[in-house]
Amino acid sequence: MIEQTIFYILAAVALAGTLLAITEKHPVHAIMYLVTSLFSMAVIFYLLMAPLVAVFEVILYAGAIMVLFLFVIMMLDLGHPEKGISPHWKEWLPALLLSGISITSLAAIIVSRHATVSVCPAAQPIREVARRLFQEHGMAVELVSLQLLFALVGALYLGKAPSPPTTLPEKEVVKSPGEGVTL
Amino acid sequence: MTAFSLDITLFAIKLALVFFVILTLAAYLVFAERRILAWVQDRKGPNRVGPFGLLQPLADLIKLLTKEDVIPGAADRWLFYLAPAMAAIPAILIFSVIPFGAPLTIFGRNLPLVVADLNVGLLFFLSLSSIAVYGVAIGGWASNSKYALLGGIRGLAQLISYELSMGLSLVPIVMLSRSFNMADIVAAQATIPFIVYQPLAFIIFMLSITAECKRIPFDLPEAEGELVAGFHTEYSGMRFGLFFVGEYINIIVLGGLAATFFLGGWHGPLLPPTVWFSFKTLAVAFFFIWMRGTLPRLRYDQLMHLGWKVLTPLALVNILITGWWLALK
Amino acid sequence: MIVPLEQILILAGLLFFIGMGGLLAWRANLIMMLVCIEIMLNAVMLVFVAGSAQWGDPDGQLFAIFIMALTSAEVSLALAMVVYLHRRRKTVNTDLFSEMRG
Amino acid sequence: MQLLSDIQVIFGGFRVTLAHMLRKPVTIQYPEQKRVPYPRFRARIVLTRDPDGGERCVACYLCSAACPVDCISMQSAEREDGRRYAAWFRINFSRCIFCGLCAEACPTLAIQMTPDYEICTRDIMDLVYEKEDLLIDGCGKDASYNFYRHAGIGVTQTRGEGLEETPPVDVRALMP
Amino acid sequence: MKLYLALILLLPLSGGLFNALLGRLLPRRLGEVVACGVIWGAFACSVLAFISFNAPEQVEYASWLSDFDFKAPIALYLDQLSLSLTMMITFVCGLIHLYSVGYMKDDASPSRYFALLNIFVFAMLTLILAANLPLLYLGWEGVGFCSYALIGFWYTEEKNATAGRKAFIVTRIGDTALGIAMVWMFQLFSTTSITELNGMGFLMPTGVITALGILLLIGAAGKSAQLPLSVWLPDAMAGPTPVSAQIHAATMVTAGVYLLIRMFPLIGSSPTTLAAIAIIGAATAFYAATCACVQRDFKRILAYSTISQIGYMMLGVGAGALTASTFHLLTHAFFKALLFLGAGCVITALHHQQDIFSMGGLKKQLPAVYWPFLAGVLCLAGFPGSGGFFSKDDILGAVFDQGGTLYGTLFAVGLLTALLTAFYTFRMLFVVFHGEASTPLNHQTLTPDTRSAGRVEPIMTITLIPLALLGLFGGFLNLPKYLVSHGLLSTFVASIPGFSALEHASDATGISLQIIAATTSLLGLGLAWSRYTGRRRAESLQLEDAGLHFTRFFLNGWYLDHLYNLLFIHPFTWLSRFLWKKIDESTIDGTLNGLARITMRLGEIPAGWSNGRVATSLIALAGGTAALLGYAVWSLM
């Protein structure tokens, strides 16, 4: 009963956070709202007996991915709503229309189905999750790690500072090795 | 009194005690740092307020509370208010998963000396320490000042870089203890602390947590020689105090974690467990202060080089070696 | 299960289509578009985890973890591209990057 | 090789700081425990008197001119016998930087610096010292020096009476 | 046993990783100590394994590849064969590592060198100890990679890098055959375990076994530098001399022989395969011996002699004399390592001079090198009583015992080769060490800091001594039957399937064969003696220096490289050009261009939609989603 109440509160927070995030003009504020939403999602995951996903949601999503967004916004100085182009109200119309249709249809489909039996399975221990991950989906792990490697190489290549013009005196163009962005 | 309400009462007492001890310790750590740094520099340090200067933290607190609360005109108000809290709160929360003593038995109730015995305690710590980045980044950004912004960006890059080596250095611990649970990790070190098996991981962990709590030689985000005070340049009064005390809570908490992961937690001969735990924690904190008195600050590229090209590969090699060793055993 | 599966699915659907709406509306700002994609991916993860909890099978959690790993790869590459594009044109408006039209 | 020496150097640093930690601090607990300055310490400025008890200052303005922060001011006057003195003499210690240039400049050794360094006050106007605050009843560092005894011809003594002064020679008596 | 085996593999690997990761940061001496220490540690472990060994044993550590019914765990198999080879490899490589410390004293990147050397040993040991083919293949490729990197170690010179690439590419041809054989075997027997495969040979018709055997033979020929894939080995001399010693003596080239011996129970049931192996072996032995007779590069002579000796081993395998082959493999490892290391000493002393005609009279100047080198020469030449004599004679005896026209011919070829071997070996010895120092050695003595012929690090000469002793007295490992009833090695390996299959002829035949062999060897010695010592020395040297027409043929290895150029490379370039110009550019491109024009016309119709704006695609995506869901709801109602 308590858990149910907590779930509804969290769902409300997640929805509110997400809505505010996409309507906010200011990117940094939007990211803060989204992080709030992600936190409540993490707790929902925890309630759904997936502590590992919950913790990774915080470590990876809130702790790494969103921080990366923040980093890029801060570094490129994009946090000026007056300079950035925020959508005109007319641009919201097709978005609202299409999302509305989709949401209504989806809700109709879900509700029209008979309610599935709500069993209460035991929580899966982390050991079991890990065993599944590395023994049965080992190939997928390898593929994901390869993809991460490619992303790393790609990001390194894209982020590399363009070679400085040769007219500068030599002392000024010495860049720290292996670092794309000089801070 | 029913068993349930007794449990609740005991829990509340435990919580209050932990809060009180942590905050007091943090305040006194500031004092200890000032005294020890003074000794390193052949000075005496603050010794005026109260006997041996012991009331100095109180005086500092009163000073900070009564200061004018200045908010820069161009600051982003809400984020500016939010940032100090985001720096301090995760640090305190981490302590909730650290077992600081052997389980007690009071009124026939079993009372584990840890606030929340999560089965993913180690990951909980990692997640909270990754949240702590926001305090620095938002604080630096919301101030709308170039020094603060630079400090914030530096802090961001530094923290997410060292997070990686910190997490990787803990993997051998999980491999050895076969659990994410802090209590299990401590129990696995009942006879021999993990530092004996994992000296390399310990070194990596120590370096990484030094960078995580932004202390010398990794204090680039607040490098006062270059950036005035880095990300908290524009803060004053109690907001600054929150940043400040957050940093020292962080030291205590990370010291406790180092003790838990590598130094055998509350295990130790003769003395009661909690005393052993605080001794180890304070020893790590002392080492932090000693390091601040000794080492110069790194350059930014050296910092990144150390994190990505030295510590992270070393931690990976360490994991491999541990795996081999376990497979052979 | 704390609540029936349908309610979680509806929550996930709402999140997903809010993300989609945002994606359509914010088409001028690359950063916000990426943020909206993150929202959509999160909704998908919620569905996976809910399924995992419903049927007591850890595979759903595993897929959620895979999504996270892939997302981190995608975001790192995408943000590197944002930095690159910003360096070239000083803007993150996607409509201005249309040299590759057929 | 590089690595080992680096590690050695870092541990050397830790050793040094530990050694200093255990060393006795050099701090002096100031208000309770006063520091004894050296006799030639350059602190508060005084005006001294000659061995006969008269003022040494002849109000020549050299100190005022030498002062880099312009904290010395005075008004010269002349007694009936032609001896000069300062009608008033003022040093603003809130500006003084204790550089000692005034004492260097003084030809009569009137202005001198003392080791008295505790000149704190709550009211800044208290730091403006007048002549009566500055003048002391003593000769200061060169006790036997009396400017007019050397140079006061026509004022305090006639020609030939000064110290280290040979009596005047009558040139006409030098005729062969 | 599990621990010993793991340590045998992990020690060299960890040493290699240590040197690769930290070597540059730490003192040079530490890296050297670690590199040598891990190999000697592995040797100690293999000795311990030998002591506690009582029966063949398979240990499994972890699963490596496993999918459906394909399983290739990290499992090691230790029997008498792999055990004796492991001991030999760790011992010889340990000596080579020690020697390298002296040889690479002045090199700029010792950590890279030692890391590769350690990993080389690790790969070879993996190959030897692997219990299944995929793991063996891992070691096989590891050996190939390390040899590539080490041959081209001084890669700043174009020549060396090319030699490394050549070795890599030529051995790849063999590796491909091995890979095909491996996959095929899995398809046939659905297992990759070597012991299981060896017991399943009878399940398949002889034709399949023959085909498998030929594929394995190609693989072995690639790695062991047999005809026709032998061209890489002489060029592989570009690497540092200890590397050559390691490739030739202990590690790489014996891998092919080992593979054939290991798979013998499977492929031995096909006489065609055996004949092919024997023919290839004998032909290679003869071919390389002829080439070696006229070479003038010190290391190339040794390289050709290696090809020749490996040919002997192949011949032995072809004759079914596995014990003799293994025996020759072991003794060869000792004396070939000795010869290479000795040659390395000479080359170092002469400041990297490799032309033997510029040497001479070194006997007095480098006695510490001369005497061990002499021991090696005696072994290689099959001088009566030396280790090489017994092992080579074992093989020849086994070939003779097979009888028949084919093996009779092969025996004759083997005998002729033995004569040539003795000749070129003593030619090398006499030219380099005997004669007068007045032969063009003068330009080396110009450097003022060297008294006569330069200094050799003591560690380099010391390592020669154990090898010389082992080479000389290696014969005691397996004395012929008429001396002792059972040789040590024969008894030791007798229980391995395939090893004891052969019944030797009578003692009288054995003794007479020995006498023939001894005579041959002495004859070669006599020839060389008459030609390269005394009065005729100067004359012969002058003659060869000028270069005779027929020697040029041998000098270039029968123009094998040119043959390849003519047979493969020219047709290939011609075909490529033809395909490029005629087929690709005119035919295919023409068609495609036409198609493309049509498509372009068609494509212009909906092109308005793809205006390159992301937003358009997104709208289309969302619209599609909405339409799909809407349709689903509509069909629901």
Side-chain angles (χ1 to χ4, degrees), chain A residues 3-4 8 18 22 24 38 48-49 57 61 85 87 95 99 102-103 116-117 121 124 132 137 144 147 160, chain C residues 1-3 6-7 15 17 21 25-26 38-39 42 45 53-54 56-57 59 61-62 69-71 87 93:
Chain A
E3 285 181 338
Q4 213 167 344
Y8 289 130
T18 314
I22 65 160
E24 176 62 58
L38 289 177
L48 290 173
M49 286 177 292
E57 170 102 357
Y61 258 104
I85 316 148
S99 303
S102 305
I103 290 171
T116 43
V117 191
Q124 289 100 32
R132 277 283 185 98
H137 301 285
V144 168
Q147 175 147 17
K160 212 166 167 186
Chain C
M1 281 303 261
I2 41 173
V3 287
E6 292 82 47
Q7 299 189 5
L15 286 174
F17 289 113
W26 276 98
E38 296 312 307
I39 296 173
N42 247 292
M45 271 168 56
Q54 171 79 16
D57 190 335
D59 278 0
Q61 293 185 31
L62 294 187
L70 291 180
T71 309
R87 195 183 287 147
N93 188 345

Side-chain angles (χ1 to χ4, degrees), chain E residues 270-618:
Chain E
S270 156
T272 325
T273 310
L274 288 188
I277 295 173
I279 291 171
I280 293 250
T284 312
F286 179 70
Y287 154 76
T290 53
C291 294
C293 283
V294 296
Q295 297 297 324
R296 47 186 299 170
D297 184 320
F298 204 172
K299 284 170 78 177
R300 275 181 99 88
I301 300 177
L302 290 171
Y304 276 113
S305 84
T306 302
I307 300 179
S308 174
Q309 298 302 311
I310 302 285
Y312 269 119
M313 295 174 209
M314 296 292 246
L315 178 60
V317 175
L322 299 187
T323 316
S325 282
T326 314
F327 182 31
H328 194 52
L329 202 162
L330 294 177
T331 50
H332 174 253
F334 296 133
F335 67 71
K336 189 48 62 66
L338 169 61
L339 287 173
F340 263 112
L341 298 187
C345 290
V346 172
I347 291 168
T348 318
L350 297 184
H351 312 285
H352 296 274
Q353 171 63 258
Q354 299 199 0
D355 186 1
I356 58 171
F357 290 155
S358 310
M359 305 174 184
L362 291 177
K363 182 181 169 185
K364 289 190 199 66
Q365 292 172 1
L366 298 168
V369 180
Y370 174 71
W371 293 109
F373 197 82
L374 178 65
V377 162
L378 291 179
C379 286
L380 177 57
F383 195 80
S386 62
F389 172 72
F390 287 115
S391 57
K392 196 189 289 182
D393 193 61
D394 249 9
I395 292 175
L396 287 176
V399 175
F400 185 76
D401 287 344
Q402 287 281 327
T405 328
L406 173 66
Y407 284 96
T409 321
L410 293 182
F411 175 73
V413 173
L415 216 52
L416 181 58
T417 311
L419 175 67
L420 289 173
T421 309
F423 172 70
Y424 72 70
T425 316
F426 283 109
R427 168 178 176 264
M428 170 174 77
L429 181 77
F430 293 148
V431 171
V432 172
F433 286 98
H434 287 245
E436 306 84 41
S438 59
T439 40
L441 188 68
N442 307 337
H443 58 279
Q444 275 88 41
T445 49
L446 285 180
T447 41
D449 61 331
T450 51
R451 269 167 291 125
S452 54
R455 262 170 46 76
V456 180
E457 290 285 305
I459 195 168
M460 291 163 68
T461 47
I462 287 169
T463 48
L464 301 178
I465 295 168
L467 285 172
L469 294 177
L470 274 171
L472 272 183
F473 301 110
F476 290 111
L477 274 177
N478 201 20
L479 286 173
K481 266 182 95 178
Y482 58 86
L483 287 177
V484 290
S485 59
H486 293 290
L488 288 173
L489 192 66
S490 320
T491 326
F492 186 57
V493 298
S495 59
I496 309 176
F499 271 77
S500 56
L502 237 61
E503 195 55 48
H504 276 287
S506 65
D507 286 354
T509 328
I511 293 173
S512 47
L513 280 173
Q514 301 261 1
I515 291 170
I516 295 174
T519 322
T520 323
S521 166
L522 289 175
L523 195 63
L525 168 60
L527 271 174
W529 179 267
S530 65
R531 219 174 131 74
Y532 297 107
T533 54
R535 275 180 293 110
R536 296 195 53 196
R537 176 187 168 90
E539 193 184 328
S540 326
L541 288 186
Q542 205 165 14
L543 206 63
E544 284 187 31
D545 203 23
L548 300 170
H549 193 62
F550 79 94
T551 56
R552 199 166 299 142
F553 176 68
F554 295 119
L555 198 61
N556 290 320
W558 295 20
Y559 292 113
L560 214 54
D561 277 328
H562 299 264
L563 185 70
Y564 284 162
N565 225 347
L566 204 67
L567 273 184
F568 299 113
I569 296 173
H570 280 306
F572 188 72
T573 37
W574 179 83
L575 186 68
S576 312
R577 182 157 302 146
F578 173 74
L579 287 176
W580 166 37
K581 288 281 180 209
K582 293 279 180 299
I583 308 275
D584 191 47
E585 285 203 341
S586 52
T587 320
I588 297 178
D589 283 5
T591 323
L592 283 181
N593 286 342
L595 276 175
R597 263 193 293 279
I598 298 169
T599 318
M600 213 165 77
R601 294 278 143 69
L602 286 175
E604 274 166 11
I605 300 165
W609 273 89
S610 58
N611 51 5
R613 287 170 49 156
V614 185
T616 319
S617 328
L618 283 176

Side-chain angles (χ1 to χ4, degrees), chain B residues 65-87:
Chain B
L65 280 175
T66 51
K67 264 196 167 181
E68 186 189 355
D69 184 17
V70 182
I71 294 166
D76 192 323
R77 230 155 227 283
W78 287 107
L79 293 180
F80 193 81
Y81 289 151
L82 196 63
M86 290 191 81

Side-chain angles (χ1 to χ4, degrees), chain D residues 1-5 7, chain E residues 22 24-27 30:
Chain D
M1 201 68 221
Q2 187 66 44
L3 188 68
L4 285 188
S5 66
I7 288 171
Chain E
L22 298 173
R24 270 176 305 158
L25 304 172
L26 295 172
L30 185 62

Side-chain angles (χ1 to χ4, degrees), chain A residues 26 28-29 31-32 35 39 46 51-52 54-56 58-68 70-75 77 79-80 126-127 152 176-179 181 183, chain B residues 76 78-79 82 86 118-120 123-124 126-128 130-131 133-134 136-138 140-141 144 148-150 152-154 156-157 160 163 178-180 300-301 304-305 308-309:
Chain A
H26 202 301
V28 175
H29 289 193
I31 280 175
M32 293 318 288
V35 168
F39 270 122
Y46 193 79
L52 212 57
V55 169
F56 279 137
V58 179
I59 296 180
L60 274 178
Y61 258 104
I65 295 178
M66 288 300 137
V67 172
L68 216 56
L70 210 56
F71 183 75
V72 170
I73 292 171
M74 281 164 72
M75 198 175 66
D77 205 15
H80 299 285
I126 297 171
R127 205 178 293 274
L152 181 77
S176 42
E179 198 195 339
V181 184
L183 299 175
Chain B
D76 192 323
W78 287 107
L79 293 180
L82 196 63
M86 290 191 81
L118 285 184
N119 59 347
V120 284
L123 291 178
F124 181 77
L126 284 179
S127 64
L128 281 178
S130 64
I131 290 310
V133 183
Y134 282 101
V136 178
I138 294 296
W141 189 81
N144 212 344
L149 182 71
L150 283 175
I153 293 181
R154 280 183 176 191
L156 253 175
I160 52 182
E163 191 108 12
R178 300 182 172 272
S179 173
F180 282 125
Y300 200 79
D301 61 317
M304 284 292 159
H305 177 92
W308 286 105
K309 295 189 190 164

